[in-house]
PDB file of all heavy atoms in Angstrom:
ATOM      1  N   ASP P 186     -22.181  32.986 -10.622  1.00 98.00           N
ATOM      2  CA  ASP P 186     -21.298  31.880 -10.974  1.00 98.00           C
ATOM      3  C   ASP P 186     -20.611  32.225 -12.320  1.00 98.00           C
ATOM      4  O   ASP P 186     -21.269  32.647 -13.279  1.00 98.00           O
ATOM      5  CB  ASP P 186     -22.186  30.631 -11.110  1.00 98.00           C
ATOM      6  CG  ASP P 186     -21.444  29.397 -11.541  1.00 98.00           C
ATOM      7  OD1 ASP P 186     -20.754  29.422 -12.583  1.00 98.00           O
ATOM      8  OD2 ASP P 186     -21.586  28.382 -10.856  1.00 98.00           O
ATOM      9  N   ASN P 188     -19.342  30.435 -14.744  1.00 98.00           N
ATOM     10  CA  ASN P 188     -19.823  29.739 -15.949  1.00 98.00           C
ATOM     11  C   ASN P 188     -21.201  30.233 -16.368  1.00 98.00           C
ATOM     12  O   ASN P 188     -21.490  30.349 -17.559  1.00 98.00           O
ATOM     13  CB  ASN P 188     -19.859  28.222 -15.723  1.00 98.00           C
ATOM     14  CG  ASN P 188     -18.463  27.640 -15.735  1.00 98.00           C
ATOM     15  OD1 ASN P 188     -17.580  28.124 -16.448  1.00 98.00           O
ATOM     16  ND2 ASN P 188     -18.238  26.616 -14.926  1.00 98.00           N
ATOM     17  N   GLU P 213     -14.830  24.441  -4.833  1.00 89.00           N
ATOM     18  CA  GLU P 213     -14.870  24.203  -3.385  1.00 89.00           C
ATOM     19  C   GLU P 213     -13.868  25.138  -2.690  1.00 89.00           C
ATOM     20  O   GLU P 213     -14.094  25.571  -1.568  1.00 89.00           O
ATOM     21  CB  GLU P 213     -14.567  22.733  -3.061  1.00 89.00           C
ATOM     22  CG  GLU P 213     -15.676  21.766  -3.451  1.00 89.00           C
ATOM     23  CD  GLU P 213     -16.992  21.970  -2.686  1.00 89.00           C
ATOM     24  OE1 GLU P 213     -16.962  22.413  -1.543  1.00 89.00           O
ATOM     25  OE2 GLU P 213     -18.055  21.689  -3.280  1.00 89.00           O
ATOM     26  N   LYS P 216     -15.250  28.273  -1.635  1.00 94.00           N
ATOM     27  CA  LYS P 216     -16.188  28.136  -0.496  1.00 94.00           C
ATOM     28  C   LYS P 216     -15.402  28.030   0.803  1.00 94.00           C
ATOM     29  O   LYS P 216     -15.937  27.642   1.825  1.00 94.00           O
ATOM     30  CB  LYS P 216     -16.989  26.838  -0.693  1.00 94.00           C
ATOM     31  CG  LYS P 216     -18.472  26.995  -0.813  1.00 94.00           C
ATOM     32  CD  LYS P 216     -19.155  25.645  -0.997  1.00 94.00           C
ATOM     33  CE  LYS P 216     -19.346  24.901   0.287  1.00 94.00           C
ATOM     34  NZ  LYS P 216     -20.150  23.678   0.116  1.00 94.00           N
ATOM     35  N   GLY P 245     -25.230  25.200  -5.941  1.00 97.00           N
ATOM     36  CA  GLY P 245     -25.056  25.062  -4.502  1.00 97.00           C
ATOM     37  C   GLY P 245     -23.804  25.750  -3.978  1.00 97.00           C
ATOM     38  O   GLY P 245     -23.791  26.229  -2.837  1.00 97.00           O
ATOM     39  N   THR P 246     -22.766  25.812  -4.797  1.00 97.00           N
ATOM     40  CA  THR P 246     -21.523  26.439  -4.328  1.00 97.00           C
ATOM     41  C   THR P 246     -21.727  27.934  -4.103  1.00 97.00           C
ATOM     42  O   THR P 246     -21.400  28.464  -3.032  1.00 97.00           O
ATOM     43  CB  THR P 246     -20.385  26.183  -5.346  1.00 97.00           C
ATOM     44  OG1 THR P 246     -20.251  24.777  -5.514  1.00 97.00           O
ATOM     45  CG2 THR P 246     -19.075  26.777  -4.895  1.00 97.00           C
ATOM     46  N   ASP P 249     -24.054  28.450  -1.121  1.00 97.00           N
ATOM     47  CA  ASP P 249     -23.445  28.265   0.201  1.00 97.00           C
ATOM     48  C   ASP P 249     -22.615  29.475   0.611  1.00 97.00           C
ATOM     49  O   ASP P 249     -22.711  29.955   1.733  1.00 97.00           O
ATOM     50  CB  ASP P 249     -22.551  27.009   0.199  1.00 97.00           C
ATOM     51  CG  ASP P 249     -23.338  25.762   0.571  1.00 97.00           C
ATOM     52  OD1 ASP P 249     -24.498  25.891   0.989  1.00 97.00           O
ATOM     53  OD2 ASP P 249     -22.779  24.653   0.441  1.00 97.00           O
ATOM     54  N   THR P 269     -29.258  27.683 -10.384  1.00 98.00           N
ATOM     55  CA  THR P 269     -29.051  27.391 -11.811  1.00 98.00           C
ATOM     56  C   THR P 269     -28.610  25.954 -12.074  1.00 98.00           C
ATOM     57  O   THR P 269     -28.384  25.591 -13.218  1.00 98.00           O
ATOM     58  CB  THR P 269     -27.998  28.356 -12.412  1.00 98.00           C
ATOM     59  OG1 THR P 269     -26.762  28.150 -11.712  1.00 98.00           O
ATOM     60  CG2 THR P 269     -28.424  29.803 -12.322  1.00 98.00           C
ATOM     61  N   THR P 270     -28.415  25.150 -11.018  1.00 98.00           N
ATOM     62  CA  THR P 270     -28.092  23.735 -11.239  1.00 98.00           C
ATOM     63  C   THR P 270     -29.292  22.899 -10.789  1.00 98.00           C
ATOM     64  O   THR P 270     -30.120  23.369  -9.984  1.00 98.00           O
ATOM     65  CB  THR P 270     -26.864  23.274 -10.437  1.00 98.00           C
ATOM     66  OG1 THR P 270     -27.154  23.432  -9.043  1.00 98.00           O
ATOM     67  CG2 THR P 270     -25.610  24.038 -10.799  1.00 98.00           C
ATOM     68  N   LYS P 291     -15.358  19.283   4.207  1.00 79.00           N
ATOM     69  CA  LYS P 291     -16.492  20.026   3.659  1.00 79.00           C
ATOM     70  C   LYS P 291     -17.443  20.555   4.720  1.00 79.00           C
ATOM     71  O   LYS P 291     -17.748  19.860   5.692  1.00 79.00           O
ATOM     72  CB  LYS P 291     -17.311  19.075   2.773  1.00 79.00           C
ATOM     73  CG  LYS P 291     -16.636  18.706   1.515  1.00 79.00           C
ATOM     74  CD  LYS P 291     -17.353  19.047   0.244  1.00 79.00           C
ATOM     75  CE  LYS P 291     -18.810  19.296   0.283  1.00 79.00           C
ATOM     76  NZ  LYS P 291     -19.275  19.917  -0.943  1.00 79.00           N
ATOM     77  N   THR P 312     -28.251  23.929 -19.850  1.00 97.00           N
ATOM     78  CA  THR P 312     -26.835  24.145 -20.221  1.00 97.00           C
ATOM     79  C   THR P 312     -25.874  23.387 -19.291  1.00 97.00           C
ATOM     80  O   THR P 312     -24.654  23.515 -19.436  1.00 97.00           O
ATOM     81  CB  THR P 312     -26.479  25.656 -20.201  1.00 97.00           C
ATOM     82  OG1 THR P 312     -26.936  26.217 -18.968  1.00 97.00           O
ATOM     83  CG2 THR P 312     -27.126  26.392 -21.364  1.00 97.00           C
TER      84      THR P 312
HETATM   85  N1  NAD B 294     -26.680  24.422   1.428  1.00 70.52           N
HETATM   86  C1  NAD B 294     -27.180  23.224   1.218  1.00 70.52           C
HETATM   87  O1  NAD B 294     -28.220  22.849   1.743  1.00 70.52           O
HETATM   88  C2  NAD B 294     -26.473  22.288   0.272  1.00 70.52           C
HETATM   89  C3  NAD B 294     -27.079  21.055  -0.051  1.00 70.52           C
HETATM   90  C4  NAD B 294     -26.423  20.231  -0.953  1.00 70.52           C
HETATM   91  C5  NAD B 294     -25.224  20.620  -1.500  1.00 70.52           C
HETATM   92  N2  NAD B 294     -24.656  21.796  -1.155  1.00 70.52           N
HETATM   93  C6  NAD B 294     -23.370  22.214  -1.710  1.00 70.52           C
HETATM   94  O2  NAD B 294     -23.590  22.580  -3.067  1.00 70.52           O
HETATM   95  C7  NAD B 294     -22.367  22.418  -3.788  1.00 70.52           C
HETATM   96  C8  NAD B 294     -22.649  21.724  -5.090  1.00 70.52           C
HETATM   97  O3  NAD B 294     -23.563  22.493  -5.782  1.00 70.52           O
HETATM   98  P1  NAD B 294     -24.032  22.127  -7.251  1.00 70.52           P
HETATM   99  O4  NAD B 294     -24.102  20.673  -7.458  1.00 70.52           O
HETATM  100  O5  NAD B 294     -25.224  22.951  -7.481  1.00 70.52           O
HETATM  101  O6  NAD B 294     -22.816  22.565  -8.133  1.00 70.52           O
HETATM  102  P2  NAD B 294     -21.972  23.917  -8.305  1.00 70.52           P
HETATM  103  O7  NAD B 294     -22.669  25.095  -7.772  1.00 70.52           O
HETATM  104  O8  NAD B 294     -20.608  23.612  -7.787  1.00 70.52           O
HETATM  105  O9  NAD B 294     -21.930  24.011  -9.887  1.00 70.52           O
HETATM  106  C9  NAD B 294     -21.453  22.924 -10.645  1.00 70.52           C
HETATM  107  C10 NAD B 294     -20.863  23.398 -11.959  1.00 70.52           C
HETATM  108  O10 NAD B 294     -21.915  23.803 -12.823  1.00 70.52           O
HETATM  109  C11 NAD B 294     -21.681  25.136 -13.288  1.00 70.52           C
HETATM  110  N3  NAD B 294     -23.009  25.710 -13.521  1.00 70.52           N
HETATM  111  C12 NAD B 294     -23.858  26.250 -12.622  1.00 70.52           C
HETATM  112  N4  NAD B 294     -25.025  26.536 -13.236  1.00 70.52           N
HETATM  113  C13 NAD B 294     -24.880  26.200 -14.535  1.00 70.52           C
HETATM  114  C14 NAD B 294     -25.741  26.252 -15.681  1.00 70.52           C
HETATM  115  N5  NAD B 294     -27.005  26.664 -15.593  1.00 70.52           N
HETATM  116  N6  NAD B 294     -25.245  25.816 -16.855  1.00 70.52           N
HETATM  117  C15 NAD B 294     -23.960  25.354 -16.952  1.00 70.52           C
HETATM  118  N7  NAD B 294     -23.132  25.268 -15.929  1.00 70.52           N
HETATM  119  C16 NAD B 294     -23.588  25.678 -14.726  1.00 70.52           C
HETATM  120  C17 NAD B 294     -20.822  25.756 -12.234  1.00 70.52           C
HETATM  121  O11 NAD B 294     -20.055  26.813 -12.729  1.00 70.52           O
HETATM  122  C18 NAD B 294     -19.938  24.574 -11.828  1.00 70.52           C
HETATM  123  O12 NAD B 294     -18.890  24.415 -12.738  1.00 70.52           O
HETATM  124  C19 NAD B 294     -21.430  21.638  -2.898  1.00 70.52           C
HETATM  125  O13 NAD B 294     -20.466  22.499  -2.401  1.00 70.52           O
HETATM  126  C20 NAD B 294     -22.341  21.122  -1.781  1.00 70.52           C
HETATM  127  O14 NAD B 294     -21.656  20.967  -0.567  1.00 70.52           O
HETATM  128  C21 NAD B 294     -25.264  22.640  -0.295  1.00 70.52           C
END
Side-chain angles (χ1 to χ4, degrees):
D186 177 306
N188 286 327
E213 289 296 330
K216 241 180 81 173
T246 303
D249 271 351
T269 61
T270 61
K291 289 239 340 166
T312 49

